[in-house]
Amino acid sequence: MYVENSNAPARKPVTVPGLHAMKAEGRKIVMLTAYDASFAAQAEHAGVDIALVGDSLGMVVQGQSSTLPVTLEQMVYHTTMVARGLSATLLAADMPFMADRDVSHALEAGARLVGEAGAAMIKIEGAGPHILEAIHALTERVIPVCAHLGLTPQSVHKFGGYKVQGRVQDAADRVLAEALAVQQAGASLLVLEGVPTSLGERVTKALDIPVIGIGAGPHCDGQVLVVYDMLGLTPGKRPKFSKDFLAGRSSVGEAIAAYVADVRSGAFPAAEHSYN
């Protein structure tokens, strides 16, 4: 059972301006998914900057074959639980599939995830015209947005599977153009998933906002993993971009602390966790 150290100094709350300062200062940002209060508390104690309630819960918690069946009600439920385990770590929540199909639905979902569930930031996949409009509308109403580009799991049918994106020049240029577009629309953060290392570096250098990589190489401003992947608990083959941090350690807390330390130092991700 996790027991908080009452003698440990209180952490200063992580904020959006604070994340931007970390990019400017070259300090790596650590993001990790969480789906309940207990894992959230472990992440906060280990020093994670951002806890993400990902719609990945559809696959790693519910046993679905994709993230598409996850509903807004389920996202609100899990975000509410995670919020109870945090006091300083910034809480971000995914916009589930089709909740952003137009501005009115995106605003309703954003209001519920922030106002009702306690999120401080909403993550939205893609960069289509309606997504850019939704990002602008949310940020105009003071709801910070984290964009998500590259391999976007909600587009699994369009991509024909979970495939690395941006491997040819035209595709890489398109990802960069989309990244600049979501920044222009008002996004405060970008998750970049499943792209070659060179593209991850290119996008990170081009943007003023922090870029958090997952399978995007070591040059991003920070890293994110699904907590079940980094603990080696996900059934089947572990993603190439992940690492089992629990192996050789005696507790979940130690594993998360090791992940935080390796991201901060630049030891993770290594070449074997990245794409050429």
Side-chain angles (χ1 to χ4, degrees):
M1 179 178 176
Y2 171 81
V3 178
E4 179 64 58
N5 179 3
S6 59
N7 296 320
R11 285 182 61 197
K12 184 178 179 180
V14 178
T15 64
V16 171
L19 296 172
H20 287 204
M22 291 180 73
K23 177 183 175 85
E25 296 164 7
R27 293 185 288 131
K28 295 291 187 179
I29 298 167
V30 184
M31 179 188 281
L32 185 66
T33 68
Y35 312 104
D36 60 40
S38 295
F39 272 98
Q42 293 276 1
E44 173 149 311
H45 186 65
V48 170
D49 299 304
I50 307 169
L52 171 65
V53 185
D55 58 2
S56 49
L57 68 89
M59 302 175 75
V60 298
V61 176
Q62 297 175 346
Q64 307 277 7
S65 61
S66 74
T67 64
L68 302 182
V70 177
T71 66
L72 179 59
E73 292 297 329
Q74 291 166 349
M75 288 303 305
V76 169
Y77 172 72
H78 283 274
T79 302
T80 302
M81 289 194 295
V82 171
R84 294 183 186 131
L86 302 177
S87 60
T89 298
L90 188 143
L91 176 56
D94 264 339
M95 186 83 74
F97 180 62
M98 292 301 288
D100 52 11
R101 58 189 178 273
D102 55 43
V103 169
S104 63
H105 283 91
L107 289 175
E108 179 184 356
R112 291 200 63 193
L113 289 167
V114 173
E116 179 180 339
M121 176 179 283
I122 306 303
K123 184 167 78 63
I124 302 180
E125 294 186 13
H130 71 290
I131 298 295
L132 297 178
E133 189 178 0
I135 292 172
H136 179 73
L138 286 163
T139 55
E140 281 288 294
R141 290 160 178 82
V142 298
I143 296 177
V145 172
C146 173
H148 184 163
L149 298 174
L151 197 174
T152 46
Q154 291 179 10
S155 301
V156 59
H157 296 313
K158 176 182 177 180
F159 293 154
Y162 299 100
K163 299 179 179 180
V164 178
Q165 301 297 302
R167 274 190 153 152
V168 298
Q169 190 64 50
D170 286 351
D173 290 344
R174 183 169 59 252
V175 171
L176 177 59
E178 291 175 344
L180 292 168
V182 296
Q183 176 178 266
Q184 179 64 32
S188 298
L189 201 68
L190 171 64
V191 165
L192 186 61
E193 180 173 357
V195 302
T197 292
S198 58
L199 180 55
E201 182 177 15
R202 185 181 172 197
V203 171
T204 302
K205 289 182 176 179
L207 265 58
D208 296 323
I209 62 175
V211 177
I212 310 299
I214 176 168
H219 304 294
C220 298
D221 299 304
Q223 299 293 327
V224 59
L225 285 178
V226 171
V227 66
Y228 288 91
D229 289 346
M230 61 81 61
L231 293 174
L233 300 178
T234 306
K237 183 180 179 181
R238 188 174 67 241
K240 172 183 171 67
F241 52 71
S242 187
K243 176 182 176 180
D244 182 356
F245 282 89
L246 185 57
R249 297 184 174 90
S250 61
S251 71
V252 168
E254 286 184 10
I256 298 176
Y259 165 64
V260 171
D262 279 6
V263 172
R264 298 266 195 240
S265 69
F268 177 84
E272 62 264 32
H273 311 118
S274 307
Y275 300 103
N276 296 320

